[in-house]
Amino acid sequence: MLRHSLRILTTRRGRAALLAIVAIGLVSFFDYLTGYEIRLSILYLVPIALMTWSIGLAAGLLAAVLSVLAWGVAFHPTYTHTYSHPIYYYWEGSVLGIIFMLFAMLLHSLRTALAHADRRLLHILDGLPAGIYVTDDEGERPLYANKHFDQAIGTAVEQNEARFERASVVETLAPAETTAGFHYEELRDLQTGRWFLLQTGTIPWDDGRRVQLKVLLDVTDSKQAAALRRQHQELLHNAARSAVLAEIASMLGHEINQPLMAIATYNDACVMLLSRDQPDIAEVIVALGKSRAQAVRASDIIDRTRSFLRRRTPTLAPSDINETARVSVMALELELQEAAVHVQMDLAADLPEVVYDRTLVEQVIVNLLHNALEAMRPPRRGGLIVLRTAAAQEGGVTVSVIDDGPGIPDSVATRLFTPFFTTKTHGLGLGLCICRSVIEAHAGHLWHARGEHGGAAFHFTLPQGPGDAPPTELPDMRGADVRGRSNER
């Protein structure tokens, strides 16, 4: 029994209870010695507070009762000389008892509220999907670690550096953005292969000193997702590049085949003319001239294709939009003749010169013309395309390509400029999207509307003068058929 009592006294609560009882006895003793003249009863609050805070409410109430009894015993021999009636003695003892017990209950409520607040904060910290730990300012001694950190790591990063590989400094926040000046690092756990984002900053601790707060967030899933997205983009890029190469090969075969067939036809005509008894040299010269023109045209097709395929800095210069429109029509001359489609050139006079990349804008017009031509392919034969230029109201010029084809359905019209949207069997769905990018890069605008005779009309504007300077590198036409196949019809 004695041994058990001694063991209790060696505990924290036992020492607090013993100290409180001794304090009550000392206050009572000195109160008796001074004859209650110094009013030492207020000092009983010290052992009551000690018992309440260290052991609990029951111990605090017990200390309050013991304090009142000690006061009554110490003061009893002299109370008849202090009060005019004994009732005042018992009244003061009752008031002291009530105050002492209220003090104990209030102190217990305060301690309980603080404990609940601490528990709520710990639950929040333990529930976060990040490892949180605190070390002293030198980073040598851990002061706190939440449950997630203990489960994921177990020890501080600084104490197990061989386990982690610092990948790179991701970001450093400016002092204006955070009072603690947090900085960020990516770490890789060499044991598990997982990636973490370590955030480190200085904060004040409860004793006023500066400590290091570290937050360790697992970013493995996000890094893997980013890697998968990059792989997916690479696959799409490779697939698109393969499709573009196939389109270019098909285009070159189709485009070059026409001038080559024309050259063969003119050569046959020359042979036939020269085989006569009296050859007509003038007609032979004319046929050879036409053959040469077709050879030059084939060379121009190859040069134009190469200029579309390579990424280059734009050649911006003041140019005549009417001349660009004429050249664009000449590029489709044979296809227009084959389909019996007539192009009406409605070109305004005295238009201002506009600054643009002539090759790219020419290809935009070719693209729009080819779309109109595709809309009037067999089983329909013949048709009319109007190529119109006019001065824009806000300055610059407006170019319009209007056909009398079947028009664009409303269900398709809303998606005309959506990348990879196409209604063609062999289309890529990039033509109009890239055309719009080219025009917008020149600070212009491309849109579509219903044609004058029920077909489709496409309009674009080019501002006059440098205006809003285009970027140093304009969009190229590598993603579309360079003849101008678009994605709408």
Side-chain angles (χ1 to χ4, degrees):
M1 183 68 177
L2 179 60
R3 183 178 302 173
H4 179 67
S5 301
L6 293 175
R7 189 160 46 245
I8 293 176
L9 291 175
T10 58
T11 63
R12 182 179 62 84
R13 290 188 173 187
R15 291 193 298 270
L18 179 60
L19 183 60
I21 292 173
V22 172
I24 292 173
L26 290 174
V27 173
S28 175
F29 175 72
F30 285 108
D31 204 12
Y32 171 76
L33 288 180
T34 59
Y36 195 60
E37 291 182 359
I38 305 180
R39 301 283 179 171
L40 298 178
S41 58
I42 191 67
L43 297 179
Y44 287 112
L45 294 177
V46 175
I48 295 173
L50 181 61
M51 291 280 281
T52 304
W53 195 268
S54 302
I55 302 177
L57 178 59
L61 294 176
L62 178 60
V65 172
L66 291 177
S67 297
V68 173
L69 291 176
W71 172 85
V73 171
F75 189 62
H76 186 271
T78 60
Y79 81 92
T80 55
H81 303 289
T82 305
Y83 300 104
S84 60
H85 195 279
I87 193 172
Y88 297 123
Y89 166 73
Y90 297 108
W91 167 257
E92 185 172 355
S94 300
V95 171
L96 285 176
I98 294 172
I99 293 174
F100 289 166
M101 286 188 287
L102 286 175
F103 175 75
M105 288 187 289
L106 290 174
L107 191 62
H108 175 71
S109 298
L110 175 61
R111 188 178 187 280
T112 302
L114 292 176
H116 286 169
D118 289 343
R119 282 197 294 270
R120 284 194 295 269
L121 180 59
L122 291 177
H123 288 325
I124 292 173
L125 293 177
D126 288 339
L128 291 175
I132 300 175
Y133 65 103
V134 179
T135 64
D136 56 16
D137 200 24
E138 291 76 20
E140 297 178 354
R141 186 168 64 91
L143 302 176
Y144 168 79
N146 70 342
K147 184 185 299 183
H148 187 82
F149 180 81
D150 286 336
Q151 293 174 350
I153 308 299
T155 58
V157 175
E158 288 80 1
Q159 297 177 359
N160 202 358
E161 290 194 2
R163 176 177 170 180
F164 291 93
E165 174 188 20
R166 280 178 166 78
S168 61
V169 176
V170 179
E171 180 183 5
T172 300
L173 298 180
E177 299 178 24
T178 173
T179 57
F182 277 78
H183 67 274
Y184 293 64
E185 286 182 299
E186 278 186 352
L187 304 176
R188 181 172 178 268
D189 190 340
L190 299 179
Q191 292 184 4
T192 63
R194 302 192 68 81
W195 285 90
F196 296 91
L197 181 64
L198 177 63
Q199 309 171 41
T200 306
T202 303
I203 62 171
W205 199 234
D206 54 358
D207 56 3
R209 58 177 167 163
R210 308 295 292 181
V211 296
Q212 293 289 323
L213 172 64
K214 300 178 185 293
V215 180
L216 201 64
L217 183 64
D218 192 331
V219 295
T220 305
D221 293 339
S222 61
K223 288 186 73 69
Q224 291 176 349
L228 290 176
R229 283 195 298 270
R230 286 194 299 270
Q231 294 176 4
H232 183 63
Q233 290 173 354
E234 291 176 0
L235 290 175
L236 288 178
H237 177 71
N238 292 335
R241 182 164 52 186
S242 299
V244 170
L245 290 176
E247 288 281 324
I248 292 171
S250 175
M251 180 275 300
L252 285 175
H254 176 77
E255 293 279 2
I256 298 179
N257 184 61
Q258 292 182 1
L260 292 180
M261 291 297 297
I263 292 172
T265 300
Y266 289 133
N267 285 342
D268 291 342
C270 289
V271 172
M272 182 184 66
L273 291 172
L274 292 174
S275 63
R276 293 177 180 177
D277 295 336
Q278 294 181 352
D280 190 340
I281 302 301
E283 291 186 7
V284 173
I285 293 175
V286 172
L288 289 175
K290 292 182 177 181
S291 177
R292 181 184 181 281
Q294 292 297 323
V296 172
R297 179 168 176 263
S299 177
D300 290 341
I301 291 173
I302 295 176
D303 289 341
R304 188 170 65 248
T305 302
R306 290 174 60 189
S307 68
F308 295 148
L309 293 178
R310 66 173 180 263
R311 183 173 292 275
R312 58 184 174 80
T313 55
T315 304
L316 302 177
S319 302
D320 182 1
I321 192 66
N322 288 341
E323 180 62 23
T324 302
R326 296 187 188 95
V327 173
S328 301
V329 173
M330 292 177 59
L332 294 173
E333 182 180 4
L334 290 180
E335 290 192 52
L336 292 168
Q337 292 176 0
E338 181 183 352
V341 173
H342 175 66
V343 177
Q344 176 182 326
M345 306 282 284
D346 185 6
L347 307 180
D350 300 326
L351 290 177
E353 286 189 334
V354 288
V355 177
Y356 59 88
D357 185 303
R358 180 165 179 171
T359 301
L360 289 178
V361 173
E362 176 186 329
Q363 183 58 29
V364 170
I365 300 176
V366 170
N367 198 353
L368 298 178
L369 289 171
H370 196 275
N371 287 341
L373 179 61
E374 286 287 319
M376 294 180 283
R377 287 288 189 185
R380 176 179 177 178
R381 184 172 178 83
L384 175 66
I385 300 176
V386 177
L387 177 57
R388 179 177 298 156
T389 61
Q393 294 181 353
E394 62 276 9
V397 298
T398 300
V399 179
S400 303
V401 177
I402 308 168
D403 64 64
D404 61 353
I408 302 173
D410 293 338
S411 59
V412 175
T414 57
R415 305 176 62 187
L416 276 180
F417 299 100
T418 302
F420 301 107
F421 170 73
T422 181
T423 58
K424 296 181 179 180
T425 305
H426 302 291
L428 289 177
L430 291 173
L432 279 178
C433 179
I434 295 178
C435 286
R436 183 175 63 175
S437 298
V438 169
I439 297 302
E440 289 180 352
H442 286 83
H445 179 54
L446 171 65
W447 73 97
H448 77 282
R450 186 175 297 277
E452 299 172 354
H453 304 289
F458 285 84
H459 313 274
F460 69 85
T461 60
L462 292 173
Q464 182 178 3
D468 298 327
T472 57
E473 194 170 84
L474 292 173
D476 57 33
M477 307 296 282
R478 292 185 292 177
D481 186 328
V482 293
R483 287 179 299 167
R485 288 186 193 167
S486 70
N487 52 2
E488 78 285 12
R489 290 173 291 179

